[in-house]
Amino acid sequence: MAGDEAFRREIREWLADNLTDEVRGAGGPGRENEAFPQRLAFARRLAAAGWTTLAWPVGHGGRGASLAQQVIFHEEYARSGAPSRVDHIGTTMVGPTLMELGSPEQQRRFLPALASVDELWCQGYSEPGAGSDLAGVTTRARLDGDAWVLTGQKVWTSLAHVADWCFVLARTSPPDEGGPRHRGLSYLLVPMRQPGVTVRPIRQLTGDSEFNEVFFDDARTSRDLVVGRPGEGWRVAMATLAYERGAATVGQQIGFQRDLDDLVALARGNGAAADPHLRSRLARASVDLTVLRSHTLRTLSLETPPQANPSVVKLLWTRWRQGLGELAMDVLACGAPAADTERWQRLFLFSRADTIYGGSNEIQRGIVAERVLGLPRGDRR
Ligand SMILES: Cc1cc2nc3c(=O)[nH]c(=O)nc-3n(C[C@H](O)[C@H](O)[C@H](O)COP(=O)(O)OP(=O)(O)OC[C@H]3O[C@@H](n4cnc5c(N)ncnc54)[C@H](O)[C@@H]3O)c2cc1C
């Protein structure tokens, strides 16, 4: 549509005017700490120009952009080499959750600072004994006058070391006898900068520390900062997860294309492209990425995408990226030494995490087995 082309020009021009070398290409999976202050400043400029809340409704201070425009934005953003966003947990997960299920007071309190990227967020779901089995969280919160008081431990909390707030899934009452365990959980908004919260970085395979252990020792948050009704936080927690994926997937795939193009250039340059087996794998990666992108664009355009589609997409892209990491290691091994070996090693190492976070691939296959194939439900409550 003509309006969409004008929109594409608008974002292109903004990026051309605002993207600087200090943030170009910075950040991304396994590189979240890279140029962080500069990326934060860039995110705030992006926000001031109204791009961060493109998908938010106008009534909540967003631009109410169509899906086509959101796709265009993410395409152009990724193509320009703009940095990985530091605000994605807040703007794509917390903001939409509060718009759907938060109270008017919570919306007034949090949406403006989310939109301007003045406050950063982290996600406090996983615990040492509760990951895939999220209903098993044991962090507790009890009311003490006007405050919730939290005790317990979260783990793998991405970006907790820079976050101002955390949305925490905590047990506020025991489940009914014999009833589902997710009853009695609440979704609390907890300030991170307080004496009762300790953040301990976890060193990853890549050598960096992007996620953390978070300890709550009588940490406090205001009584009115529970989203939805106390004890009914499971629905809110699931709503947040549903917002995690969307039009941004398109930008992610443009990043994949860039990685593949760079790997092909590396294979040409270091002589590995002469190996028939590697040539065939590179061609295969290109075809698979085209299929992935076509599938994503097609399902984004459907009014009601198949229920298990997010699981299918997660399985496809994680397998693709792990395959690319393995291919990169073989391209490096089969040719002359390359200058950017570290970049490919990091991609290879970090891609091991792809099949774990955001719901592990075993869990996604379980969903496909049940919802697409109609197989009997697995053994869990
Ligand atoms: C890079 C990264 C960032 C993360 N960021 C966050 C964050 O910001 N906030 C947060 O709360 N969490 C975060 N996580 C945690 C992530 O959500 C969990 O790691 C994930 O849910 C898996 O839980 P777990 O690690 O406890 O593994 P477990 O659930 O213990 O699983 C162990 C293994 O058993 C398999 N398994 C478990 N249950 C089943 C089943 N029913 N059927 C078949 N197989 C099964 C799993 O697939 C896995 O292979 C992050 C993880 C990573 C790797």
Side-chain angles (χ1 to χ4, degrees), residues 60-369:
H60 284 302
R63 285 178 66 159
S66 66
L67 186 61
Q69 290 181 334
Q70 293 173 46
V71 168
I72 290 170
F73 170 80
H74 289 293
E75 278 178 351
E76 292 301 325
Y77 190 89
R79 265 194 202 120
S80 71
S84 162
R85 297 268 292 273
V86 296
D87 58 302
H88 65 278
I89 298 178
T91 38
T92 63
M93 296 171 81
V94 186
T97 303
L98 292 179
M99 286 183 250
E100 184 187 337
L101 298 164
S103 67
E105 294 73 31
Q106 289 166 354
Q107 292 173 354
R108 269 196 296 277
R109 161 63 186 86
F110 290 107
L111 292 182
L114 278 162
S116 60
V117 196
D118 280 329
E119 290 175 340
L120 295 176
W121 286 76
C122 62
Q123 175 187 14
Y125 283 11
S126 305
E127 298 184 359
S132 308
D133 183 22
L134 188 58
V137 296
T138 57
T139 292
R140 288 183 180 277
R142 63 180 166 82
L143 272 176
D144 176 21
D146 277 346
W148 292 100
V149 180
L150 288 89
T151 45
Q153 184 198 340
K154 297 291 172 180
V155 72
W156 319 124
T157 321
S158 299
L159 300 176
H161 53 295
V162 289
D164 303 291
W165 287 86
C166 184
F167 52 98
V168 176
L169 193 62
R171 183 155 290 288
T172 47
S173 57
D176 302 333
E177 186 72 32
R181 284 175 310 152
H182 60 255
R183 289 266 168 75
L185 297 174
S186 298
Y187 187 104
L188 300 168
L189 310 177
V190 180
M192 290 293 283
R193 300 179 201 283
Q194 57 165 312
V197 176
T198 306
V199 176
R200 225 160 53 191
I202 300 173
R203 193 170 151 87
Q204 295 163 212
L205 199 60
T206 54
D208 210 348
S209 298
E210 301 177 339
F211 51 31
N212 308 269
E213 293 177 292
V214 176
F215 298 88
F216 299 111
D217 296 299
D218 290 339
R220 297 175 84 83
T221 195
S222 173
R223 183 186 188 125
D224 52 7
L225 294 187
V226 56
V227 183
R229 295 230 294 260
E232 294 180 9
W234 185 255
R235 189 168 73 95
V236 189
M238 294 303 110
T240 301
L241 291 182
Y243 285 118
E244 198 174 357
R245 310 173 188 109
T249 320
V250 175
Q252 181 194 39
Q253 289 168 7
I254 286 177
F256 291 176
Q257 185 66 56
R258 201 170 34 236
D259 285 337
L260 178 60
D261 293 345
D262 290 351
L263 186 61
V264 169
L266 171 62
R268 282 170 186 275
N270 79 348
D275 180 307
H277 185 54
L278 286 180
R279 290 161 66 91
S280 156
R281 284 170 63 197
L282 286 165
R284 179 78 212 213
S286 170
V287 171
D288 287 349
L289 186 54
T290 308
V291 171
L292 178 57
R293 185 165 158 72
S294 307
H295 174 79
T296 306
L297 289 173
R298 191 181 73 86
T299 45
L300 274 175
S301 69
L302 295 176
E303 222 157 86
T304 33
Q307 212 195 359
N309 191 54
S311 300
V312 173
V313 171
K314 168 105 206 291
L315 287 165
L316 289 175
W317 80 253
T318 52
R319 199 177 57 184
W320 188 88
R321 194 157 59 181
Q322 285 191 347
L324 189 78
E326 286 155 18
L327 187 49
M329 292 303 97
D330 291 339
V331 166
L332 286 173
C334 289
D340 56 353
T341 301
E342 202 257 340
R343 164 187 174 184
W344 298 108
Q345 286 173 334
R346 196 177 271 266
L347 189 151
F348 168 73
L349 291 174
F350 191 83
S351 68
R352 308 323 296 172
D354 291 342
T355 49
I356 302 173
Y357 65 81
S360 75
N361 279 26
E362 289 76 20
I363 295 296
Q364 307 300 345
R365 277 193 285 273
I367 293 171
V368 172

